[in-house]
Amino acid sequence: MAYPIILAFILEISIQGIGYSVFQNLIENILFAVLIFLAINQLSGIKFGKKIANILIIFFYLILIIETGLFLLFQTRFNASYIYVILNTNYNEVKEFSSVYYNYNLFWLLLFLVPLLSVFSKKIYKQVKANTINLIGSLILIVFVLSVLKFSELIIYNLPYIAVKSYGQYQDQVNSINTFKDQEEYFDTKLVTENETIVVVIGESATSKHMGIYGYHRETTPRFSKLSDSLIVYNDVISSHAYTTGSIYDIFTLSNYENPKKSTPLISFIKNAGYKVFWLSSQRPIGFHDNLVSRLASAADESLFLNYNDYLNKTPYDEVLLPKLKEKLTIEGKKVIFVNITGNHYAYEKRYPKEFDKFSSDNNTKKSKIIDTYDNAILYTDFVVSEMIKTVQQEELKSALIYFSDHGEEVYDTSDFFGHFEDKPTSTMYEVPFLVYMSPSFERPLDFTIDESRAYMLDDFPHSLTHFMGIESDLLKKERSIFSDKFKARKRIIQDSLDFNTFKLLNKK
Ligand SMILES: [Zn+2]
């Protein structure tokens, strides 16, 4: 039993390098083996004892093979998003985005077959005389090892445990989505324009402060700049929160700081107006921060998630969304396609392929490395989003694309750290890009006007998008639309408590 443990350990290290989780998994595997061993020890007196012992060892082997196989393929450990993606995606799609990982690694699994199982089990299965003292001793040891696994939290590396637990989380999420769908609201809407396709790209942790098109000293957005004649670049847009769920909730419902409990979903208006709604995401569907987003997304007619890994691990590059977007664009009929990219979330260096490793500083400090990798990630987002714009352009429909980010990011701009935390807010965590592309034939609503300098907060996005699309309803207010000539600037209260303008003045470096 030592062989598969050591092999699993070596294969994991060869993939991920010597990391914390690899060692934790090693210890968990050893404890798991001890448990199996203790159980086998008690089987000798029993009828079929030897058979059960063999089954246990084969079980142990299989678990390690599956666990290592998943790790080799996807560099992830089993989790609830994994189940969701597999069950909600067809085989070809799984294959397609799995190809960003190294499939040939799977061959290493053959090494697990080197020792023949029978030879192995004979060695382990010893004739221990069953007696009460031995039994009690083993039981105490089993309880002890289980407690160590549980309280050290090493148990999260145990595949059988995590598979059962993940399935529970998956079921919970499916149930909560179904409850959410049952509450879907239907109300009267009027459609005053006739457009065909609207694409809304929701970025992740992108601050406008690191974009060339917004005046950043590095040219991180050369493709946006090239397109600038056909882009409207709003330069004073902020998010209402500095974390995904807080901000996304405000963006996708009528909720804002004045009415935090107004939960009418944006997608309901769009569907009521006769549009088909798609949600394409390179983020994962289930996770502490992801559940709420996918619940809101579930209001869409169709949704597709292409990732099941944590941000800290390798995730598929956002370009996996490009063929999906193309495919949806060719579907006939009025449609809105939301595209949720992984964008610029830490770990930045894992968000872009090698070709985008452009910015580097002479001084090799941790800080300059962080800034370089963040800027490279922005450069990659510039590529992905402008490719999306080009795709929409090529379709030659009555169409438009809007890109913004869920919130910004501090990257040593106003403070000496990086990330986004509401308990340590900085202005760059709220300052987001907001770009609009309209095709030449796009039908604008009557009171449409362009003023790129409007001070605007994304919690009013439902009012803006619906107005932009010509959807009218009693619940929607033109004075909250960044595109309306009836727009009224309002106080921008972030975190439901801080006036952004005052906060920014105090936050200046
Ligand atoms: Zn976010």
Side-chain angles (χ1 to χ4, degrees):
M1 271 162 123
Y3 176 75
I5 296 179
I6 293 166
L7 180 59
F9 180 65
I10 292 172
L11 290 179
E12 285 194 7
I13 279 194
S14 71
I15 290 288
Q16 204 177 44
I18 299 173
Y20 189 62
S21 78
V22 177
F23 277 101
Q24 289 207 309
N25 190 40
L26 172 70
I27 298 168
E28 180 274 317
N29 282 339
I30 293 171
L31 291 175
F32 187 34
V34 170
L35 279 180
I36 299 276
F37 183 77
L38 286 169
I40 289 175
N41 239 334
Q42 289 310 314
L43 294 169
S44 55
I46 305 169
K47 215 181 166 186
F48 302 122
K50 184 152 189 169
K51 283 211 172 88
I52 301 173
N54 275 328
I55 291 171
L56 279 177
I57 288 172
I58 292 170
F59 172 72
F60 179 79
Y61 241 86
L62 274 179
I63 293 294
L64 252 72
I65 291 175
I66 297 170
E67 184 179 284
T68 313
L70 285 177
F71 200 77
L72 289 177
L73 257 185
F74 308 118
Q75 297 165 45
T76 183
R77 304 196 185 275
F78 202 82
N79 60 57
S81 290
Y82 186 86
I83 305 177
Y84 190 100
V85 170
I86 297 294
L87 293 185
N88 291 279
T89 321
N90 67 44
Y91 171 74
N92 275 333
E93 276 160 357
V94 172
K95 221 177 88 187
E96 204 170 288
F97 77 89
S98 296
S99 65
V100 299
Y101 303 99
Y102 314 104
N103 285 322
Y104 57 81
N105 278 341
L106 267 192
F107 287 109
W108 292 109
L109 287 184
L110 291 173
L111 287 176
F112 275 100
L113 303 177
V114 171
L116 291 169
L117 287 175
S118 60
V119 178
F120 241 67
S121 60
K122 258 177 216 153
K123 261 195 220 162
I124 280 178
Y125 183 74
K126 280 180 277 174
Q127 288 290 329
V128 184
K129 265 232 149 102
N131 62 53
T132 328
I133 295 171
N134 185 303
L135 177 69
I136 294 174
S138 290
L139 279 178
I140 292 174
L141 273 172
I142 287 178
V143 171
F144 175 72
V145 175
L146 279 175
S147 328
V148 170
L149 279 172
K150 176 84 192 151
F151 291 109
S152 62
E153 289 182 359
L154 282 172
I155 200 158
I156 60 160
Y157 291 96
N158 185 265
L159 183 63
Y161 169 82
I162 209 67
V164 171
K165 194 178 163 182
S166 299
Y167 192 73
Q169 287 173 333
Y170 166 75
Q171 272 304 340
D172 287 350
Q173 175 70 347
V174 170
N175 291 340
S176 83
I177 282 175
N178 289 339
T179 322
F180 177 80
K181 278 186 167 167
D182 289 343
Q183 293 164 347
E184 235 184 289
E185 292 176 55
Y186 294 92
F187 27 76
D188 272 343
T189 51
K190 211 171 89 192
L191 195 58
V192 298
T193 56
E194 279 302 327
N195 286 303
E196 290 161 295
T197 305
I198 313 292
V199 178
V200 178
V201 184
I202 306 123
E204 176 59 65
S205 308
T207 175
S208 52
K209 294 287 155 194
H210 278 253
M211 295 189 162
I213 200 167
Y214 281 97
Y216 184 53
H217 65 89
R218 278 173 164 171
E219 188 44 295
T220 50
T221 55
R223 293 169 187 85
F224 285 159
S225 298
K226 238 187 202 160
L227 286 167
S228 66
D229 284 346
S230 45
L231 285 181
I232 311 170
V233 183
Y234 287 89
N235 54 43
D236 192 8
V237 175
I238 62 166
S239 60
S240 60
H241 288 277
Y243 65 103
T244 308
T245 47
S247 167
I248 289 284
Y249 188 75
D250 286 349
I251 292 171
F252 279 93
T253 65
L254 291 188
S255 153
N256 48 40
Y257 69 85
E258 295 101 329
N259 302 287
K261 291 219 165 70
K262 246 190 180 172
S263 60
T264 317
L266 165 62
I267 291 179
S268 291
F269 288 101
I270 301 171
K271 278 165 83 178
N272 287 341
Y275 280 84
K276 194 161 186 201
V277 179
F278 298 91
W279 186 279
L280 307 176
S281 175
S282 62
Q283 300 208 11
R284 58 179 185 166
I286 303 179
F288 184 67
H289 298 288
D290 311 277
N291 285 350
L292 178 113
V293 181
S294 44
R295 213 169 299 152
L296 292 168
S298 72
D301 295 294
E302 258 181 51
S303 56
L304 178 65
F305 292 85
L306 293 176
N307 172 38
Y308 36 69
N309 234 348
D310 186 76
Y311 288 128
L312 295 181
N313 292 303
K314 188 172 174 173
T315 52
Y317 297 127
D318 282 329
E319 64 198 59
V320 293
L321 292 162
L322 295 173
K324 297 290 148 207
L325 176 63
K326 240 177 214 159
E327 192 186 304
K328 301 299 172 203
L329 280 171
T330 57
I331 294 174
E332 292 247 337
K334 289 187 291 185
K335 56 203 166 290
V336 176
I337 307 168
F338 291 99
V339 187
N340 192 12
I341 61 177
T342 308
N344 317 94
H345 198 287
Y346 188 75
Y348 313 134
E349 75 279 5
K350 296 198 167 113
R351 300 289 93 89
Y352 55 87
K354 269 196 201 94
E355 309 90 89
F356 290 83
D357 190 2
K358 181 185 160 191
F359 299 106
S360 62
S361 321
D362 299 335
N363 57 335
N364 220 347
T365 59
K366 182 195 166 210
K367 180 173 156 176
S368 61
K369 236 183 171 160
I370 294 280
I371 298 172
D372 291 342
T373 51
Y374 184 79
D375 290 349
N376 289 330
I378 293 282
L379 183 69
Y380 183 59
T381 296
D382 170 64
F383 161 72
V384 171
V385 178
S386 42
E387 280 303 301
M388 291 177 181
I389 296 172
K390 281 184 206 156
T391 311
V392 173
Q393 275 176 332
Q394 281 157 10
E395 290 297 319
E396 293 182 347
L397 298 166
K398 290 180 172 184
S399 58
L401 181 146
I402 300 178
Y403 163 66
F404 57 82
S405 179
D406 63 340
H407 51 79
E409 184 91 330
E410 175 64 49
V411 195
Y412 299 102
D413 303 288
T414 62
S415 290
D416 209 24
F417 64 91
F418 69 94
H420 54 273
F421 321 98
E422 285 223 321
D423 49 351
K424 278 201 279 183
T426 68
S427 53
T428 38
M429 288 179 201
Y430 296 85
E431 288 165 310
V432 293
F434 193 96
L435 308 178
V436 178
Y437 163 79
M438 289 177 284
S439 75
S441 57
F442 178 78
E443 252 184 57
R444 306 167 180 210
L446 269 181
D447 51 355
F448 187 87
T449 184
I450 296 172
D451 178 354
E452 292 174 322
S453 65
R454 281 181 172 173
Y456 177 75
M457 188 157 79
L458 285 174
D459 59 344
D460 272 345
F461 187 67
H463 301 279
S464 301
L465 181 66
T466 49
H467 166 245
F468 183 68
M469 294 173 58
I471 300 172
E472 294 185 349
S473 151
D474 295 344
L475 294 163
L476 299 166
K477 308 279 175 248
K478 297 256 166 74
E479 61 267 27
R480 287 180 178 270
S481 169
I482 191 170
F483 306 112
S484 171
D485 56 14
K486 300 190 180 65
F487 176 78
K488 275 200 199 105
R490 65 197 248 267
K491 250 196 186 149
R492 296 184 293 175
I493 307 292
I494 54 168
Q495 299 192 9
D496 300 322
S497 56
L498 286 171
D499 184 320
F500 182 76
N501 293 3
T502 324
F503 167 73
K504 192 180 173 177
L505 279 176
L506 297 169
N507 188 226
K508 274 237 165 80
K509 206 176 188 177

